[in-house]
C-alpha cells in the first residue's frame, strides 16, 4: 500500500470497480456501484484528487439532487429511501477502500456516517433451560384445571373481602333523557 494521494476520482472509481470484480461480486452489484460512482464523479468532477476529498464534500454529495432525486418523465422525483441509503453505502464502501489502498490519508466521512463503520457485535445466545414441550391440548387442560380450583367470589384477588352489612355498590336509576 503506497501512498498515492494524487489519484483522481475517475481512476479511483475504475480501480474500485475492478476490485469488486476481483472479489467476485455479481455483475448487477457492480453495475449499481458504477452508476452510483458515476453520480459521485459528476458531482465532484473527474479530476478531483481522492486525497483532497473532505467530509464537507461527501456530505454535500449525500444531500445533492444527484443522490436524493431521480429524473422522471417531465420532472425530478424523490428517490426511494432505500435507494438513497444504497447510494450512501456504496460511496462509504469506496471511500474506505480508497483509504485502505493508500489513495487517501484520511477517511472523509461526515460525522453522521461514521457510525456505520463500527463493526457490528454479534449477540451471544444464552442457552435456555431444557423444558419439555407441551401440546396445546395439555396447556388448555392445565389452564382449565386452575380455573376450576378457584371458586368465584365476585371480587378480584387483590381486593379485601366485604364485611357483613357493608355497602359495596349503589345504583342510580334515572328516566331516559334526564
Amino acid at each position: 500500500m503506497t501512498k498515492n494521494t494524487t489519484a483522481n476520482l475517475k481512476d479511483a472509481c475504475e480501480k474500485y470497480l475492478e476490485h469488486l470484480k476481483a472479489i467476485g461480486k455479481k455483475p448487477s452489484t457492480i453495475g449499481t456501484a458504477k452508476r452510483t460512482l458515476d453520480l459521485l464523479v459528476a458531482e465532484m468532477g473527474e479530476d478531483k484528487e481522492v486525497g483532497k476529498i473532505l467530509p464537507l464534500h461527501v456530505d454535500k454529495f449525500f444531500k445533492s439532487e444527484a443522490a436524493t432525486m431521480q429524473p422522471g418523465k417531465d420532472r425530478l422525483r424523490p428517490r426511494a429511501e432505500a435507494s438513497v441509503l444504497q447510494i450512501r453505502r456504496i460511496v462509504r464502501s469506496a471511500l474506505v477502500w480508497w483509504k485502505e489502498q493508500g489513495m487517501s490519508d484520511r477517511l472523509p466521512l461526515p460525522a453522521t456516517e461514521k457510525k456505520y463503520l463500527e463493526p457490528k457485535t454479534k449477540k451471544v445466545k444464552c442457552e435456555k433451560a431444557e423444558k419439555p414441550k407441551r401440546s396445546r391440548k395439555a396447556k388448555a387442560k392445565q389452564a382449565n384445571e386452575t380455573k376450576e380450583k378457584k371458586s368465584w367470589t365476585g371480587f378480584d384477588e387483590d381486593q379485601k373481602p366485604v364485611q357483613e352489612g357493608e355497602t359495596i355498590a349503589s345504583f342510580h336509576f334515572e328516566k331516559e333523557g334526564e
Side-chain angles (χ1 to χ4, degrees):
M1 284 191 236
T2 59
K3 294 286 178 190
N4 181 11
T5 55
T6 59
N8 68 31
L9 193 54
K10 183 180 177 188
D11 293 340
C13 289
E14 289 172 7
K15 287 178 184 176
Y16 180 67
L17 293 172
E18 288 171 14
H19 161 70
L20 292 179
K21 286 178 192 172
I23 62 172
K25 292 294 180 182
K26 294 179 183 176
S28 60
T29 303
I30 295 169
T32 303
K34 182 180 181 344
R35 286 189 300 277
T36 299
L37 294 174
D38 286 345
L39 293 174
L40 182 68
V41 168
E43 182 74 22
M44 294 188 183
E46 290 181 5
D47 297 328
K48 178 76 171 179
E49 289 183 25
V50 174
K52 292 185 178 180
I53 296 175
L54 300 173
L56 175 75
H57 300 135
V58 177
D59 191 47
K60 183 180 173 189
F61 170 71
F62 285 161
K63 293 176 182 175
S64 71
E65 278 189 356
T68 59
M69 304 293 276
Q70 68 181 4
K73 291 180 183 175
D74 54 344
R75 61 184 168 83
L76 288 175
R77 298 179 317 163
R79 286 187 193 273
E81 185 179 349
S83 298
V84 172
L85 294 174
Q86 182 181 46
I87 289 170
R88 288 174 176 230
R89 191 169 49 249
I90 291 168
V91 170
R92 272 195 315 266
S93 178
L95 289 169
V96 167
W97 189 80
W98 292 333
K99 183 180 184 308
E100 289 172 354
Q101 299 305 307
M103 294 182 200
S104 176
D105 294 331
R106 63 183 166 274
L107 187 59
L109 281 178
T112 56
E113 297 292 317
K114 292 201 181 208
K115 64 184 175 188
Y116 297 109
L117 297 179
E118 299 297 321
K120 291 184 179 178
T121 56
K122 291 186 178 182
K123 294 181 181 177
V124 179
K125 290 185 179 179
C126 298
E127 291 188 30
K128 295 181 180 178
E130 291 293 321
K131 284 198 265 181
K133 293 194 175 189
R134 297 183 302 159
S135 67
R136 256 191 284 170
K137 286 182 181 177
K139 289 178 185 176
K141 184 178 177 184
Q142 185 182 11
N144 284 337
E145 286 173 359
T146 7
K147 284 182 185 176
E148 289 173 4
K149 287 180 185 174
K150 292 183 180 179
S151 58
W152 187 75
T153 61
F155 296 98
D156 292 334
E157 291 176 12
D158 59 335
Q159 287 182 333
K160 64 177 184 170
V162 178
Q163 301 298 320
E164 192 174 327
E166 186 179 349
T167 306
I168 57 171
S170 62
F171 294 96
H172 299 280
F173 296 98
E174 297 176 1
K175 292 183 181 174
E176 201 172 296
E178 287 185 13

